[in-house]
Amino acid sequence: MINQNNLNVMSFNASKELEAEVDELISHYPVKRAASLMVLHAIQEKFGWISQDAILWAARKLELPPINLFEILTFYPMLRQQPMGRYQIKVCRTLSCALGGAYGLHRHLCDRLGLDAHAHGPQTTKDGRFTVEFVECLASCGTAPVMMCNDHFHEGVTLEKADAITSACK
Amino acid sequence: MAQEYKLILKHVDAPGYGRDLDSYLHHGGYQTLGKALHMPARDLPDGKKMTAQEQIREEVKISGLRGRGGAGFSCGLKWSFVDRKSGKPIYLICNADESEPGTFKDRQIMYKDPHQLIEGMAIACFANDVHLAYIYIRGEMVDGARILNEALREARARNFIGRNILGSGYDLEIHVHRGAGAYICGEETGLIESLEGKRPYPRIKPPYFPAVLGLWMCPTIVNNVETLCNVKHIVAMGGNEFAKLGTPNNTGTRIVSLSGHVRKPGYYEIEVGKATMRELIFDPQFGGGLRDGRNLKAVIPGGSSAKVFKAGEKFKLKKKDAEGREILVETDMLDLPYDFDSLAAAGSMSGSSAIIVMDDSTDIVEALANVSEFYAHESCGQCTPCREGSLWMSKTLHRLTHGEGRAGDADYLLKIADNIPGGRTICAFGEACSWPVQSFVAKFKDEFVAKGKADEERRAGQGNELAKAPTEAAAHH
Ligand SMILES: Cc1cc2nc3c(=O)[nH]c(=O)nc-3n(C[C@H](O)[C@H](O)[C@H](O)COP(=O)(O)O)c2cc1C
Ligand code: SF4
Ligand code: FES
């Protein structure tokens, strides 16, 4: 929980590099608060998720009450409140991809990685290597089914292609 | 016969064309920006002068350009609403959130020809006295954001943006702002809230029309990626020439995203209204028809929010006869010209120009359940009818597709859907989540009822107490 006491406990270690990146982002807007989402993206890119301490650090940088950042962290699906697998697989489940076999693809990935295809939300393997989740339309419906593996986008993903992609994730 | 007409996608897939600045310059890039910035003032008959900015805005009006993001609103008119007297800065935001299911056209532009978007934006900004603009790109397009940032860096280095652009005295800065996976950020006032660093809760209109009270309560223009690219071509060729493309009141070209059960899904740029739905789906140069042995079942013509068409559906459309008299002509759904007005007259819309094709292998109840799950997930939750209604519809469809349906579910779905739109919600998402349900259930009612009935009978056969239970309470759990 965020409370007044741990506002002083800043165990978050921002590198010089992150600090500089955040300062640059803030300079893009006449109002600091507008940089919030981009700052959270920058933090997540470095750490993989956004901790309470990271929120407190960002709040101080942006001169905002932490709740302002916490309320966006809890709204946007891409922002993570806990660590995820090293490889995050997002399978599009929306209509064009569903017509193109997205549900079969998702089930196949879950089976192969020992995850429950029917569980709600992102599922992470015990070894922390993979997180698999369904997401909504990824704006590539003409090459259904599609998925992302971390930042990389994959089109027309057959089951064989999916196996090749996961095998390449070390 | 209908043909592709490549205005915006002219170079995109040409062999050897890259997304780097040199490639763009080699194909005449940024010349239109130079022309715009150095356009001399025009003398008017009354002795007054028309500035370069006013002339560009006038050309955009003459062009008849309508927004490519979904609503098809006149771009020239939208710009004319901008409050230019407030003394506050005017902002422009490019809506690159591209999240309407079925749509993948803006992606092609941003990933393959980012400078075209930047040039279009720069001209639109100049014409509207904007000095700070943002590209709001959906969060999942990580590479897209990198590509745009690189293109902006290149453009800045060559003074196509930045200070005193090409010696004109005009300053403009453009930044990329990333979303984070929420569809509602595509709605322009939700987008503005998101850009301000808040939850993307859409604002109520009135009073928060972006043209007057937009980003940081300043006048703001929100335009789609494709719309802004069109601005460049309008200035290059002149509004009148642009208006000759397409059909009256439906001018220019559109990039159609075609997906689902066709042999050749993909993006196809056509003159607006110069190809019919039949041509787009069946012609070998477009979709190439359905898979062997399959028949058409349904088509969603403008992104998942658009009302579905059933194969064989007929509409009475107004046309002019040889003597110019208005007559009603019966038109098959497939023979509708793909434009704004014909699809609206047929009770649906071209929306984001995304066509999703379903053949007779499709379980139509499953298809609607899929779409409704999207809306239930994406409602921002501010308005009770939308938040609760989208969830109830999705849950009802979930039970219908999981063996727990009831014969009355079809009517129940309609009742919920009818109570969401029509001014009961803050934004048009309320309409967007209702239209699929209203149209699917009305047009394929027998399939919805049959599924529910079969479930009831099966449960009755198993002596299940719930078989004849009142339907409504159960759906709420
Ligand atoms: C729920 C909802 C989602 C929307 N999503 C998008 C989108 O992803 N991209 C877009 O350009 N417009 C989207 N729009 C339309 C925008 O609100 C706005 O009308 C558009 O960006 C204006 O640009 P245009 O006039 O150039 O079309 C959406 C509207 C609604 C109601
Ligand atoms: S209509 Fe739905 S999405 Fe729009 S503001 Fe209301 S709850 Fe949010
Ligand atoms: S439906 Fe999967 S990318 Fe659009």
Side-chain angles (χ1 to χ4, degrees), chain B residues 309 315-318 336 339-349:
Chain B
F309 289 139
F315 303 96
K316 288 224 166 16
L317 289 195
K318 277 188 199 146
L336 293 169
D339 65 13
F340 294 97
D341 293 340
S342 306
L343 295 201
S348 187
M349 61 174 181

Side-chain angles (χ1 to χ4, degrees), chain B residues 28-82:
Chain B
Y30 288 108
Q31 284 176 11
T32 313
L33 175 63
K35 172 181 159 183
L37 292 172
H38 296 106
M39 197 181 281
R42 194 200 300 158
D43 293 314
L44 295 176
D46 61 3
K48 287 199 186 117
K49 282 193 187 297
M50 200 175 183
T51 63
Q53 286 93 329
E54 286 165 343
Q55 291 175 58
I56 296 171
R57 297 205 297 267
E58 186 62 24
E59 290 302 318
V60 170
K61 247 187 209 162
I62 292 169
S63 76
L65 175 63
R66 295 171 69 168
R68 301 314 197 221
F73 192 78
S74 157
C75 183
L77 204 55
K78 176 185 278 193
W79 290 7
S80 76
F81 294 151
V82 171

Side-chain angles (χ1 to χ4, degrees), chain B residues 184 201-202 378-384 386-387 425-430:
Chain B
I184 198 58
Y201 290 147
E378 300 297 336
S379 168
C380 86
Q382 279 193 106
C383 320
T384 309
C386 170
R387 180 188 63 240
T425 61
I426 291 173
C427 87
F429 185 107

Side-chain angles (χ1 to χ4, degrees), chain A residues 21-109:
Chain A
E21 189 183 342
V22 164
D23 289 336
E24 164 69 22
L25 288 170
I26 291 173
S27 78
H28 293 179
Y29 307 89
V31 178
K32 275 192 173 183
R33 184 174 182 180
S36 300
L37 196 46
M38 292 298 279
V39 168
L40 295 187
H41 271 307
I43 292 171
Q44 183 158 299
E45 210 149 279
K46 298 278 181 303
F47 297 90
W49 67 296
I50 299 162
S51 64
Q52 299 279 338
D53 288 329
I55 288 282
L56 297 179
W57 178 82
R60 208 185 37 166
K61 286 295 287 182
L62 294 161
E63 297 168 22
L64 291 171
I67 182 66
N68 285 167
L69 288 154
F70 198 61
E71 67 194 358
I72 66 176
L73 172 64
T74 51
F75 188 91
Y76 293 97
M78 275 180 72
L79 301 179
R80 308 297 199 182
Q81 299 174 61
Q82 58 276 315
M84 294 281 155
R86 283 200 309 290
Y87 293 94
Q88 294 180 37
I89 296 178
K90 297 177 179 176
V91 181
C92 171
R93 64 152 287 281
T94 320
L95 186 55
S96 305
C97 284
L99 295 173
Y103 277 74
L105 170 63
H106 179 261
R107 207 177 317 114
H108 177 79
L109 281 165

Side-chain angles (χ1 to χ4, degrees), chain B residues 266-282:
Chain B
Y267 46 92
Y268 300 100
E269 186 173 5
I270 56 163
E271 283 187 69
V272 187
K274 291 272 179 82
T276 61
M277 300 250 287
R278 184 190 304 282
E279 286 167 323
L280 287 168
I281 296 170
F282 290 97

Side-chain angles (χ1 to χ4, degrees), chain B residues 67-71 73 78 95 97-100 106 183-184 186-188 222-224 227 427-429:
Chain B
R68 301 314 197 221
F73 192 78
K78 176 185 278 193
N95 190 341
D97 195 54
E98 189 159 71
S99 313
E100 174 75 15
D106 297 337
Y183 168 67
I184 198 58
E187 196 280 337
E188 57 187 9
V222 183
N223 273 136
N224 171 260
T227 312
C427 87
F429 185 107

